[in-house]
Amino acid sequence: VRGWQQDGRGDQPRERLRGPRTARTSTPATGETGRGNGCHYGMIPVSRINASEPLRSWISLRSIFGSFAIVAKNRAYLSILGLQMCSYTGLFAFVSSASVVLQVTYGLTPVEFGWLFALCSSSYVFGAWLGTKLIAARGVEGMIGLGCLWLMIGGVCQVLGVWLFPAAIAAIIFPDMLFFMGVGFLLPNTLAAALTPFPERAGAASSFMGLAQMTSGAIVGTVVGATLGSSAWPLAIVTGVAGVFAFVIFNATKGWRAGVMTKSGNLARS
């Protein structure tokens, strides 16, 4: 309801809510629509639901996977999907192993672990916030490239840190802070770029991306958790490989994303 006008029986909406179908409500005493005692009721949207329609026509696995197959044929989408999977691989590797690495291997208390975990999480929040300030100047492609650069730096630094300073907690935390900040740069922009080619299948594109992210993250997280021993090497190796792969994929598939990024960049700047 956007505006109001006065009459003798109370305030009445000048413009009512719009929808596919509407139904008027009435006052209990008089049955008048939207009138009585200075009160208004306006219009309530009513959706059309055919109760006799079988549920299988609403949820069809064949239709879902058919839509997945269509979006998976787009090379720009596959490029962005690979970047998303790399970021989630490093993210889940840390989430699934950090408690064991920091508390068992490095001997931290639960409270100390909680503070360091919060520090890494805050880096992701800071990266996402900073990305909103840089997107207008750098565009979607530039922000994705910046995110991949931070992923690679964080991953390589963690490998070097565990190798050169195996007893230093900072060798784990500071590189992961850089990695998480790169994830904050990367995720919002890759999601926007992935949905751009599919205005009519945005739901399928988003769902397939979520499926790939969570599946890759869960598999890697399980492997890292199962291989943890007395060192942080499983975490460092996965983080390093994920960061380097993200940087390589970004640079090797620029041509695949060219048209999509031009359109996404124009939308980001508008």
Side-chain angles (χ1 to χ4, degrees), residues 214-232:
M214 295 301 176
T215 301
S216 60
I219 292 173
V220 170
T222 302
V223 172
V224 171
T227 55
L228 283 175
S230 58
S231 74

Side-chain angles (χ1 to χ4, degrees), residues 48-58:
R48 296 180 177 177
I49 299 176
N50 187 355
S52 63
E53 189 175 1
L55 182 61
R56 63 177 177 272
S57 67
W58 298 358

